Amino acid sequence: MARILIRGERQLSGQVAISGAKNAALPILAASILAGEGENCLAPIPWLNDVIVMLDLLQSLGLEIETDGVGTVYVRAANLIGWEAPYELVNRMRASVLIMGPLLARLGRARISLPGGCAIGSRPIDLHLRGFHALGAEVQANHGYVEVQAQKLQGAYIYLDYPSVGATENIMMAATLAEGTTVIENAAAEPEIINLAEFLNNMGARISGYGTDRIEIEGVEHLRGTKQVVIPDRIEAATYLIAGALAGGKVTIGPVDTGAMRAVLAKLQEAGCNIVSERDNELTVLPSACLQGIDARTLPYPGFPTDVQPQLIAILTQAHGASLVTETVFENRFQHVPELCRMGAQIKVSGRQALVRGPSRLTGTTVTATDLRAGAALILAGLVAQGETIVTNAYHIDRGYVQIVEKLRALGADIERLPDI
Ligand code: UD1
C-alpha cells in the first residue's frame, strides 16, 4: 500500500513546474491510432501511471512506441492489428474507452471491457455508444464487453444529452475518417478537447467549432503522423495554487494557460486568495489577509471543474464562515469529506451539496485517498494540519500528479513517501 507522510504547518515558497495535462495526453495518445502512416511526436507527456497503462494498451494493439525518457513519446500506428481493450487494462484506467472511436474509424471494429462503477460515480458510456450508433456502427454488449462494428462510418448529426468530455472526444475521433460531415451538438468545450482537435487537424482531419458546443467534422480518407504539443495541466496547476494559498509564502507556478483557469481563479480570488500574474504563462500566489467562505458549483467547462472540487473544499476548511459547494457533474464525489472531518474539518454533506464551516484547526492522522483528486485534497489538508498526516492508497494520487512529493518538498513542505506495506 503506497503511503505519503506530511508533517504540516511548514511555509511553502518557490516555483513549481506544471506538467503536460494528463486529460489531454490520454486522448491524444489514443488518437495516434488514427495515423495510417508516419510517426506522431508528442510532448510533454506526463509520466504517470495512467499514461503508462495507455502506452501498454497501444503496444498491445501493435503500435510501435519509443520515448526519450524526458517527456517526448513517438508513436507509429501503421502496423495496427488489435481491436480489443481487455478487462485488466480498462479496470486499471477508465480512459481506455478512448481507443474505441479511433479503432472503429480505422479498423471498423473495437471491443472493450465495459468500465464498471468507479469511486466517483457510476460513469456509464451510453453517450459514446449512442454516438457510434448514429455514425452507423452496430453496438453489442455481451459478457461484460461491448463491441462496435461498421463497414464504413457515415457522418451524422449527434446531439449529446450531456456535454460529456469522453463522449465528445470519442465521437470526434471516430468521425474524422467517416464518409461525409458529422455535427456534435451540445459538445464539451474543455481545453483538452481543443488540444485533441488541433492534433487531429494537424494529422489531416477537418474539424471546426471545437471549443464551442457545436463541433463539425468533415470526414477525410486518411490521417498521417505529426507533432503535437500537449497543453499544461490546469488541474495540477490549480492544486499547487491552492497549496500556495493554504501554506505560502510566495508560490509561482508555470507554464499555465490562465485563460483555461478563469473559473478557478475567480472562485479562489472571491475566497480572498491573493493571486497575480507577473509574467505570461505564470501565476503567483501571495499570502492573503484572511480567507472567506464562498459558494461554488461544479459545471462543464467553462464552469468550475469537478476535478478541483475536493481541493477547493480543503482550502474552504480554512476560510471564515460558511461555504456551500454543489457537485453537479458526478453523483458520488464527496468521499474526501469524511476523511477531512477526521482531521477536524466541519463539513456536512446532503445529496450533492457540502456545507463547510470554517476555519477549523486540522490535526494530522491516517486518512485514505479514495480517488485521485480526493487524495490531492488530503495532501493539501496535511500541509496545514498540526502534526503528521499519513495518506494511504496514495497510488491514486500518482495516477494524476507527476512527482508530487518532490515538487512539494522543493517548495519547503516536509513530505515523504513511506515504504509500501
Ligand atoms: C473527464 C476527465 C475527468 C473529469 C471529467 C469531467 C479525462 C481522462 N477525464 O472524464 O478527469 O472529471 O471529464 O470534467 O479526461 N456520462 C454519462 N454517459 C456517458 C458519459 C458520461 O452519463 O456516456 C456522465 C458521467 O457519468 C458524469 C458526466 O457525464 O456524470 C461527466 O462525464 P464525462 O464528461 O464523460 O467525464 P469523463 O470523460 O469520463
Side-chain angles (χ1 to χ4, degrees):
M1 184 168 57
R3 294 174 302 156
I4 293 176
L5 165 72
I6 309 122
R7 292 181 195 89
E9 299 182 297
R10 308 290 194 274
Q11 196 182 66
L12 306 185
S13 64
Q15 299 245 352
V16 190
I18 300 303
S19 302
K22 167 180 88 77
N23 288 351
L26 292 173
I28 284 174
L29 284 166
S32 301
I33 291 173
L34 287 162
E37 59 181 274
E39 179 177 82
N40 276 309
C41 168
L42 313 171
I45 298 290
W47 209 246
L48 295 164
N49 290 349
D50 275 10
V51 166
I52 293 166
V53 173
M54 181 60 85
L55 294 177
D56 284 351
L57 180 53
L58 296 181
Q59 266 173 330
S60 77
L61 301 173
L63 273 62
E64 293 160 49
I65 293 172
E66 281 169 43
T67 68
D68 67 354
V70 287
T72 305
V73 173
Y74 304 90
V75 188
R76 283 180 300 278
N79 297 331
L80 173 70
I81 42 163
W83 61 80
E84 178 169 322
Y87 175 77
E88 296 71 40
L89 292 176
V90 179
N91 193 35
R92 276 169 65 196
M93 185 192 57
R94 190 180 180 280
S96 308
V97 302
L98 292 172
I99 65 165
M100 276 192 113
L103 286 177
L104 182 61
R106 248 197 90 189
L107 299 177
R109 185 171 189 190
R111 184 171 186 266
I112 66 150
S113 166
L114 275 168
C118 85
I120 58 173
S122 60
R123 301 185 84 172
I125 56 165
D126 55 316
L127 299 174
H128 304 231
L129 300 179
R130 268 195 258 158
F132 297 146
H133 181 69
L135 293 172
E138 192 187 319
V139 180
Q140 278 189 334
N142 276 316
H143 304 289
Y145 276 74
V146 61
E147 187 156 343
V148 287
Q149 281 194 60
Q151 288 286 349
K152 176 78 186 159
L153 295 176
Q154 301 289 333
Y157 173 89
I158 297 165
Y159 171 78
L160 294 181
D161 288 337
Y162 186 88
S164 151
V165 175
T168 302
E169 292 168 343
N170 234 339
I171 297 166
M172 187 166 77
M173 292 188 281
T176 54
L177 297 180
E179 215 168 79
T181 301
T182 298
V183 172
I184 311 175
E185 197 86 69
N186 200 27
E190 268 69 0
E192 292 76 18
I193 300 221
I194 300 178
N195 204 196
L196 173 64
E198 284 173 352
F199 172 52
L200 293 167
N201 280 349
N202 288 340
M203 282 203 285
R206 291 205 196 123
I207 307 175
S208 56
Y210 47 88
T212 76
D213 61 1
R214 187 178 195 277
I215 300 178
E216 205 168 304
I217 307 122
E218 217 182 297
V220 297
E221 286 288 315
H222 66 273
L223 300 177
R224 64 198 168 275
T226 185
K227 266 190 170 182
Q228 186 61 42
V229 175
V230 175
I231 57 173
D233 195 314
R234 64 195 167 101
I235 310 300
E236 186 195 27
T239 305
Y240 285 106
L241 270 187
I242 292 174
L246 270 172
K250 177 179 175 184
V251 172
T252 299
I253 61 163
V256 287
D257 174 0
T258 49
M261 295 184 64
R262 280 198 197 100
V264 168
L265 295 176
K267 293 317 278 186
L268 291 180
Q269 281 164 339
E270 189 186 331
C273 298
N274 188 0
I275 301 168
V276 294
S277 183
E278 290 172 336
R279 270 194 225 109
D280 273 358
N281 304 327
E282 268 188 17
L283 286 169
T284 297
V285 54
L286 299 156
S288 51
C290 174
L291 296 176
Q292 296 294 336
I294 55 161
D295 292 349
R297 169 182 289 265
T298 66
L299 286 168
Y301 190 85
F304 191 90
T306 175
D307 285 353
V308 186
Q309 177 262 105
Q311 302 91 311
L312 180 71
I313 289 192
I315 191 171
L316 291 177
T317 66
Q318 301 307 299
H320 290 257
S323 299
L324 188 63
V325 178
T326 307
E327 172 60 56
T328 76
V329 180
F330 290 111
E331 74 271 18
N332 187 22
R333 202 171 198 179
F334 284 128
Q335 293 184 42
H336 41 292
V337 167
E339 300 300 284
L340 289 171
C341 289
R342 292 186 52 245
M343 295 176 74
Q346 294 177 58
I347 310 169
K348 280 196 178 135
V349 171
S350 171
R352 291 191 165 218
Q353 293 192 311
L355 180 66
V356 188
R357 285 184 208 280
S360 297
R361 178 152 175 71
L362 302 184
T363 52
T365 183
T366 299
V367 285
T368 301
T370 49
D371 64 73
L372 164 56
R373 308 301 171 185
L378 296 176
I379 293 214
L380 292 173
L383 292 174
V384 285
Q386 183 209 5
E388 293 188 353
T389 299
I390 295 176
V391 182
T392 64
N393 283 356
Y395 64 89
H396 282 300
I397 301 166
D398 296 326
R399 289 184 36 229
Y401 290 91
V402 177
Q403 298 199 316
I404 190 165
V405 168
E406 292 74 7
K407 288 186 185 183
L408 283 171
R409 199 184 292 144
L411 289 178
D414 189 346
I415 180 168
E416 62 186 277
R417 278 181 198 280
L418 296 179
D420 286 0
I421 52 169

